[in-house]
């Protein structure tokens, strides 16, 4: 039996993946607003020890798109897309730690914090799950009939909770929790990047590099227009 899992991905599917990833990962006000809301939800979910709230934060977070955009940038060797994605991720992490730290200053639950210390430990198992999730997320984007499974993948991608835990650790001066949660985030981030990069390489998305560059230019133009509209109001 021939292995046609990636060879059957059409040019239209590849184009849709590129346009969707670049659009959803654009560092616009919408992107950072959703990141702030996701982190705030995760912080409250952790402090209230409410799994449903934490799951909700992962569903509304756009950070997965930023990492998929980063792996897309590497797969097509586009320095501009790589730089944009990295800057978006770094800013999102800094904002996230700040927001969760601020929330923890006013809503700290010491017993829950102690429980977080014991669970915020990076391990190979977490990295393996993140790798699988990254692979699944990238592959899901190439198959329109699988798009409804993306929210489920987003839940498995553990990116938002470690950022929230890092902020809580900073606010409560639990340095071990801060260190371990950052290590967990880094481990998951690298695994997601690796898993999605493999998919993009196997589907030969490099052939659509010109489309990616054009889409990136259009999004940068939209960002500039958005900035110009905000200036008169300030």
């Amino acid at each position: 039996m021939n292995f046609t899992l990636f060879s059957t991905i059409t040019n239209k599917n590849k184009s849709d993946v590129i346009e969707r990833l670049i659009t959803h990962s654009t560092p616009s006000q919408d992107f950072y607003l959703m990141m702030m809301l996701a982190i705030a939800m995760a912080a409250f979910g952790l402090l209230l020890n409410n799994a449903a709230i934490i799951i909700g934060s992962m569903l509304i977070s756009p950070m997965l798109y930023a990492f998929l955009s980063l792996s897309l940038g590497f797969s097509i060797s586009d320095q501009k897309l790589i730089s944009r994605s990295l800057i978006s991720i770094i800013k999102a992490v800094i904002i996230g730690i700040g927001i969760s730290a601020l929330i923890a200053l006013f809503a700290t639950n010491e017993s829950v914090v102690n429980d977080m210390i014991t669970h915020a430990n990076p391990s190979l198992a977490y990295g393996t799950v993140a790798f699988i999730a990254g692979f699944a997320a990238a592959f899901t984007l190439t198959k329109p009939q699988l798009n409804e499974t993306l929210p489920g993948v987003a839940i498995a991608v553990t990116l938002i909770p470690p950022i929230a835990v890092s902020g809580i650790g900073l606010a409560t001066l639990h340095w071990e929790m801060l260190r371990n949660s950052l290590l967990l985030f880094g481990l998951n981030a690298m695994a997601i990047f690796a898993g999605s990069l493999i998919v993009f390489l196997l589907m030969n998305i490099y052939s659509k590099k010109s489309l990616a560059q054009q889409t990136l230019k259009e999004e940068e133009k939209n960002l500039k227009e958005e900035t110009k509209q905000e200036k008169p109001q300030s």
Side-chain angles (χ1 to χ4, degrees):
M1 182 177 67
N2 293 329
F3 187 74
T4 60
L5 193 60
F6 295 96
S7 61
T8 56
I9 297 175
T10 66
N11 286 326
K12 184 180 184 306
N13 290 151
K14 295 178 183 179
S15 299
D16 290 343
V17 169
I18 289 173
E19 292 174 351
R20 183 174 179 182
L21 281 183
I22 293 178
T23 300
H24 282 71
S25 64
T26 297
S28 61
Q29 294 179 11
D30 294 340
F31 177 88
Y32 290 115
L33 174 61
M34 294 307 296
M35 269 301 306
M36 292 168 67
L37 294 175
I39 288 293
M41 280 185 65
F44 278 112
L46 288 164
L47 292 171
L48 294 171
N49 199 20
N50 190 312
I53 297 176
I54 298 172
I55 291 173
S57 71
M58 291 187 277
L59 284 173
I60 69 173
S61 167
M63 180 164 275
L64 174 60
Y65 285 103
F67 276 99
L68 294 177
S69 177
L70 178 63
S71 59
L72 173 64
F74 273 92
S75 65
I76 63 175
S77 301
D78 190 288
Q79 184 61 44
K80 184 175 291 186
L81 183 56
I82 293 172
S83 299
R84 191 190 78 159
S85 301
L86 282 173
I87 291 173
S88 296
I89 292 170
I90 292 171
K91 285 183 177 180
V93 171
I94 293 174
I95 291 172
I97 292 176
I99 290 175
S100 56
L102 186 62
I103 292 173
L105 286 175
F106 298 97
T108 302
N109 185 328
E110 192 62 33
S111 63
V112 174
V113 170
N114 291 332
D115 186 60
M116 276 190 271
I117 294 175
T118 61
H119 287 88
N121 293 315
S123 68
L124 182 60
Y126 281 115
T128 303
V129 171
F131 177 87
I132 295 171
F135 189 100
F139 185 72
T140 296
L141 289 173
T142 70
K143 302 287 184 176
Q145 67 273 21
L146 297 178
N147 282 348
E148 65 271 14
T149 66
L150 191 57
V153 176
I155 295 174
V157 176
T158 311
L159 291 171
I160 296 300
I163 297 176
V165 172
S166 298
I168 295 171
L170 178 64
T172 57
L173 302 181
H174 285 87
W175 306 120
E176 182 182 359
M177 182 169 69
L178 173 63
R179 184 187 70 248
N180 288 343
S181 57
L182 287 176
L183 287 175
L184 178 59
F185 172 81
L187 174 64
N188 290 341
M190 290 187 290
I192 291 166
F193 168 78
S196 55
L197 179 62
I198 289 174
V199 173
F200 292 142
L201 292 175
L202 289 174
M203 66 185 282
N204 189 29
I205 205 167
Y206 185 85
S207 61
K208 293 293 181 179
K209 182 175 181 177
S210 59
L211 174 62
Q213 293 174 331
Q214 180 60 36
T215 304
L216 192 57
K217 287 180 182 179
E218 292 175 358
E219 286 300 310
E220 289 180 342
K221 182 180 178 181
N222 293 336
L223 268 181
K224 289 180 181 178
E225 292 178 352
E226 182 181 279
T227 303
K228 288 180 180 178
Q229 291 174 358
E230 288 295 318
K231 281 185 178 179
Q233 301 175 8
S234 59

